């Protein structure tokens, strides 16, 4: 087991999330594919509050990036207690790798864990351009051009994959956690943006369930495509209710949106809930404790 360099970070900043950060760092560092662990965001800057997420950059051997990402859900579920499979992060900036968000219970709360998985060949550039605190630095052998190409191709393909109904369901749940945080902090502009993103996820969920081969982009032709069946009309009714709400939500609006989305899933794509019943029940419980 490598020795993680937590002492400097601990001395500078003793956030409540530090025990969870340490546990996750130990879990990730056990993989020989991992070359670097860095913390970024408020935990790295010493500005964390009790709502702050745990934001890692994880360097992975270029050739092993596909296999590591493939195994990540199991690793985070079994070793870290993640409540749900990871959400493919569509908000994080493109740094040459792939972003995944997990929700992990700890000390009676759901914590947002952001993992940005970067090919090891990209880490020196990230260290020079992104403010981070380094926990682990295992210098790998230089990647060959072929290994770099494997990582680049995988990252591009990962981001381009169509999202399933299950992924879009999880996106709603993650965004709701983010929105509750914005509301508590009074971050109205960010809440506005993430509320619109939640509505867009609802639209994408309806299209993935009822018009997966749609040739139309974005919000175009929804009525023409979707409102041809009773289920489709009911789903568009849900979407209309969503976009008719306030521009900046209250916590009750976010909770109502999640319940509306879950009812929509049961109606239009119930298979998306397979295996997630206990996790969603636990999620609801944690949200009640927020």
């Amino acid at each position: 087991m490598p020795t993680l360099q937590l002492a400097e970070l601990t001395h500078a900043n003793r956030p409540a999330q530090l025990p969870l950060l340490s546990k996750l760092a130990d879990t990730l560092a056990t993989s020989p594919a991992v070359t670097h662990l860095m913390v970024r965001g408020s935990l790295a800057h010493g500005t964390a509050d009790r709502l702050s997420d745990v934001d890692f950059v994880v360097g992975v051997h270029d050739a092993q990036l596909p296999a590591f990402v493939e195994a990540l859900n199991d690793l985070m579920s079994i070793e870290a207690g993640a409540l749900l499979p990871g959400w493919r992060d569509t908000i994080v900036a493109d740094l040459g790798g792939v972003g995944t968000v997990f929700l992990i219970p700890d000390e009676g709360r759901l914590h947002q864990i952001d993992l940005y998985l970067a090919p090891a060949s990209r880490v020196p550039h990230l260290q020079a351009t992104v403010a981070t605190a380094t926990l682990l630095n295992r210098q790998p052998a230089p990647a060959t051009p072929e290994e770099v190409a494997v990582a680049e191709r995988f990252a591009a393909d990962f981001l381009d994959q169509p999202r399933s109904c299950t992924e879009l369901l999880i996106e709603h749940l993650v965004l709701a956690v983010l929105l509750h945080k914005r509301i508590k902090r009074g971050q109205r502009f960010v809440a506005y943006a993430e509320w619109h993103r939640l509505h867009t996820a609802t639209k994408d969920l309806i299209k993935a369930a009822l018009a997966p081969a749609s040739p139309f982009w974005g919000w175009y032709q929804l009525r023409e495509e979707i409102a041809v069946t009773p289920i489709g009309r009911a789903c568009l009714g849900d979407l209309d209710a969503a976009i008719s709400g306030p521009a900046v939500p209250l916590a009750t609006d976010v909770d109502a949106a999640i319940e509306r989305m879950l009812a929509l899933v049961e109606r239009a794509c119930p298979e998306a809930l397979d295996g997630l019943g206990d996790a969603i029940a636990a999620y609801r419980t944690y949200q009640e404790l927020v």
Side-chain angles (χ1 to χ4, degrees), residues 64-75 117 154 158 161:
Q64 298 179 50
L65 184 64
F68 187 82
V69 173
E70 181 71 22
L72 188 60
N73 275 336
D74 287 342
L75 176 68
L117 309 174
F154 172 79
F158 182 88
Q161 292 173 27

Side-chain angles (χ1 to χ4, degrees), residues 195-269:
W195 189 228
H196 173 71
R197 194 178 292 273
L198 190 77
H199 298 338
T200 300
T202 302
K203 178 265 297 178
D204 291 342
L205 176 57
I206 292 169
K207 290 187 71 170
L210 301 179
S214 173
F216 299 107
W217 181 81
W219 294 76
Y220 288 94
Q221 301 294 315
L222 286 177
R223 293 205 178 277
E224 290 81 355
E225 281 194 310
I226 305 298
V228 295
T229 65
I231 286 178
R233 289 190 288 275
C235 289
L236 287 187
D238 289 334
L239 185 59
D240 191 69
I243 65 173
S244 298
V248 179
L250 301 174
T252 53
D253 298 316
V254 176
D255 293 339
I258 293 303
E259 293 307 316
R260 185 166 52 238
M261 177 275 299
L262 290 171
L264 187 158
V265 169
E266 289 181 350
R267 181 193 313 124
C269 50

Side-chain angles (χ1 to χ4, degrees), residues 26-47:
D26 283 335
T27 296
L28 293 165
T30 57
S31 171
V34 172
T35 61
H36 301 80
L37 284 178
M38 296 167 282
V39 179
R40 62 175 178 166
S42 60
L43 282 169
H45 299 147
T47 58

Side-chain angles (χ1 to χ4, degrees), residues 23-109:
K23 173 186 173 182
L24 293 171
D26 283 335
T27 296
L28 293 165
T30 57
S31 171
V34 172
T35 61
H36 301 80
L37 284 178
M38 296 167 282
V39 179
R40 62 175 178 166
S42 60
L43 282 169
H45 299 147
T47 58
D49 62 23
R50 71 179 188 85
L51 300 174
S52 295
D53 57 343
V54 177
D55 198 345
F56 280 107
V57 176
V58 184
V60 181
H61 283 286
D62 290 53
Q64 298 179 50
L65 184 64
F68 187 82
V69 173
E70 181 71 22
L72 188 60
N73 275 336
D74 287 342
L75 176 68
M76 295 299 287
S77 173
I78 296 168
E79 300 296 334
L83 196 62
L84 295 156
W87 170 54
R88 193 185 342 162
D89 195 342
T90 58
I91 299 176
V92 69
D94 183 1
L95 302 175
V98 299
T100 308
V101 178
F102 291 89
L103 299 178
I104 294 183
D106 185 70
E107 297 293 329
R109 292 185 56 247

